[in-house]
Structure formats: C-alpha cells, structure tokens
C-alpha cells in the first residue's frame, strides 16, 4: 500500500488537502497530511523538513506530493528518508543556495501584481477572509490568484483556513547541492494564476530538464478537481520502478 504524503504550500495546512485525502483513502491508500510550523518565526526550511520526517515515521512506500512553496521542503525530505516518488504540484523548483525569497526574481516570475496579492493574503492568514487583504486577492474575485475556479462557498472556506505564513523560511538558502536521486514528476495547472503555465514550463525545463505534465484547473486542484488529481497520482504510483 502506497502512503501519499501531502505537503502543503505557504500558509496552508491539512484542510486544504481534505478532498484529495478522502479520494486517495477511498482508493485504499494510506495518507499523511502534514502540518507545517508555518506560523513559527523560528522555523526555517530544515524545520519544515523535520515536521514531514516526523509525520511519516514508521511508514514505507512513500510518495510525496509537494504543493507550491513545498517544492523547497520536499527534496530535503527525500534526502533523509526512503521515498519512492516525488510529485511537484504547481510547485516552486529551487536551485542550490537560492532562498525562496530570491526565487521569484531568479525565475523571472511574470506578474508582480499577482505575486504581491498572493503574499498579502498569506501574511494576513485567516484574517484575509474577513476583508484584511487587497481587493485583488479576495477569494472568488476576478483577480484571485488562488481560488478562482472553486465554487464561492468552497473558496470562502479555503480562505478562512489560511494560516499566517512566517517570512523566516523565505530567507533561508536551499541547503542541497543537487536534486535528490528520486523519481520526480511535475504537474502544472493550465489556469493557474499564481504560477502561469507558460512560466512553469520554462522553470521545469531549465531546472529539472523535463517536460511537465498538465491538467486543467487553478492553483489548488486538490480542491477544484480532487478525483482527477487522485487518478493522476495513482497513475504515477503505478509507473514507479521498484
């Protein structure tokens, strides 16, 4: 039985995986939805990796699914515990010595307004759902970079579940000297406003030397298309050489 380890992006937690979690369990898999110390201003990338390693203790046949900012954390986990496969889902791809804060300019992210709106929402945490964010980042608005393809009620719930995201890990250089030797797949979403598809195609080609897989949806396919995403993860699992 595969254990899918779901690692959230910035300002997120297990709730943001709950629909995918249910789909994977219904297919007979074990699932670990990781709680990261994102509000802890003493926690950096190594501490995020510690949280994942602690959460999977005693489990085997691990497939890590790393969303967004978790692209900086998941490879650190692969270097510390046996992992069958790593799936990067609309994720950041780091290079040695780069901080997450430097990543945006280094990869030439194309839209500074989207970036500012996203960071404002994440820094505000759950208060963002109560009007404490720029209008451009309000869930369901025309410029929402996160939840634009969710039903309004689900988008509102997702925003209420935002956590405050400390800036500490964004200042810590990625400590690995190379990508870990683990089977890695990248899945982007064609309607993603935070990380647009043409941008991610270039990032994946430049940094991983591969062509990403693609699906429909915005930045949170685990909420907008959980069954389709579960199907894809199952296909990835079946292709892993043991």
């Amino acid at each position: 039985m595969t254990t899918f380890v779901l690692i959230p992006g910035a300002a997120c937690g297990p709730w943001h995986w709950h629909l995918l979690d249910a789909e994977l369990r219904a297919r007979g898999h074990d699932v670990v939805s990781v709680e990261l110390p994102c509000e802890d201003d003493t926690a950096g990338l190594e501490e995020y990796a510690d949280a994942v390693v602690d959460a999977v203790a005693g489990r085997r046949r691990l497939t890590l699914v790393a969303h967004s900012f978790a692209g900086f954390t998941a490879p650190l986990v692969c270097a510390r515990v046996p992992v069958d496969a790593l799936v990067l889902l609309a994720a950041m791809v780091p290079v040695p010595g780069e901080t997450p804060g430097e990543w945006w300019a280094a990869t030439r992210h194309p839209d500074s307004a989207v970036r500012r709106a996203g960071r404002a929402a994440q820094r505000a945490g759950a208060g963002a759902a109560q009007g404490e964010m720029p209008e451009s980042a309000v869930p369901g608005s025309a410029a929402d970079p996160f939840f634009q393809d969710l039903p309004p009620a689900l988008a509102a719930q997702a925003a209420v579940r935002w956590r405050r995201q400390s800036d500490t890990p964004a200042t810590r250089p990625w400590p690995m000297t190379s990508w870990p030797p683990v089977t890695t797949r990248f899945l982007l979403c064609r309607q993603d406003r935070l990380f647009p598809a043409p941008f991610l195609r270039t990032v994946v080609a430049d940094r991983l030397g591969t062509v990403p897989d693609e699906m429909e949806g915005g930045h949170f396919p685990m909420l907008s298309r959980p069954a389709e995403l579960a199907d894809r993860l199952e296909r990835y699992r079946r292709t892993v050489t043991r």
Side-chain angles (χ1 to χ4, degrees):
M1 180 174 62
T2 295
T3 297
F4 286 99
V5 184
L6 310 180
I7 310 175
C12 293
W15 184 90
H16 293 91
W17 294 105
H18 76 283
L19 297 179
L20 178 63
D21 184 312
E23 289 284 347
L24 292 171
R25 291 183 188 278
R27 290 161 165 78
H29 302 296
D30 188 19
V31 181
V32 177
S33 292
V34 181
E35 186 88 51
L36 296 178
C38 69
E39 298 176 349
D40 184 351
D41 290 325
T42 69
L45 297 173
E46 294 283 4
E47 287 73 23
Y48 283 32
D50 289 343
V52 181
V53 171
D54 289 345
V56 302
R59 289 179 165 88
R60 302 177 59 189
R61 298 185 61 182
L62 306 179
T63 291
L64 307 188
V65 185
H67 180 238
S68 198
F69 182 48
F72 270 82
T73 298
L76 306 183
V77 178
C78 294
R80 293 171 53 179
V81 298
V83 171
D84 287 345
L86 167 59
V87 179
L88 297 171
L89 177 63
M92 301 167 80
V93 182
V95 295
E98 180 179 69
T99 71
E102 295 167 341
W103 182 89
W104 302 86
T107 56
R108 300 180 182 177
H109 187 280
D111 194 332
S112 60
V114 165
R115 189 170 89 201
R116 287 195 300 271
R119 287 181 63 80
Q122 291 168 348
R123 284 173 172 167
Q130 302 165 18
E132 298 179 12
M133 67 163 76
E135 184 178 354
S136 60
V138 172
S141 71
D144 176 10
F146 297 111
F147 309 128
Q148 86 274 6
D149 60 336
L150 300 186
L154 184 59
Q157 289 181 54
V160 166
R161 299 285 183 158
W162 277 130
R163 302 170 63 193
R164 185 183 70 83
Q165 175 61 54
S166 170
D167 283 336
T168 298
T171 67
R172 303 285 175 85
W174 194 60
M176 299 190 70
T177 58
S178 62
W179 199 258
V182 62
T183 299
T184 302
R185 304 293 293 264
F186 195 103
L187 179 59
L188 65 78
C189 301
R190 296 190 185 99
Q191 289 77 45
D192 192 336
R193 292 179 180 172
L194 185 65
F195 297 154
F199 163 71
L200 279 184
R201 292 182 191 117
T202 299
V203 169
V204 173
D206 290 347
R207 297 190 166 206
L208 293 177
T210 61
V211 176
D213 296 325
E214 302 187 13
M215 66 180 290
E216 300 300 309
H219 194 61
F220 278 80
M222 64 280 275
L223 292 173
S224 64
R225 299 170 180 269
E228 179 182 346
L229 180 54
D231 288 343
R232 285 178 175 268
L233 293 176
E234 283 215 298
R235 289 200 294 272
Y236 292 159
R237 176 188 63 83
R238 290 194 293 267
T239 63
V240 173
T241 300
R242 302 194 182 281

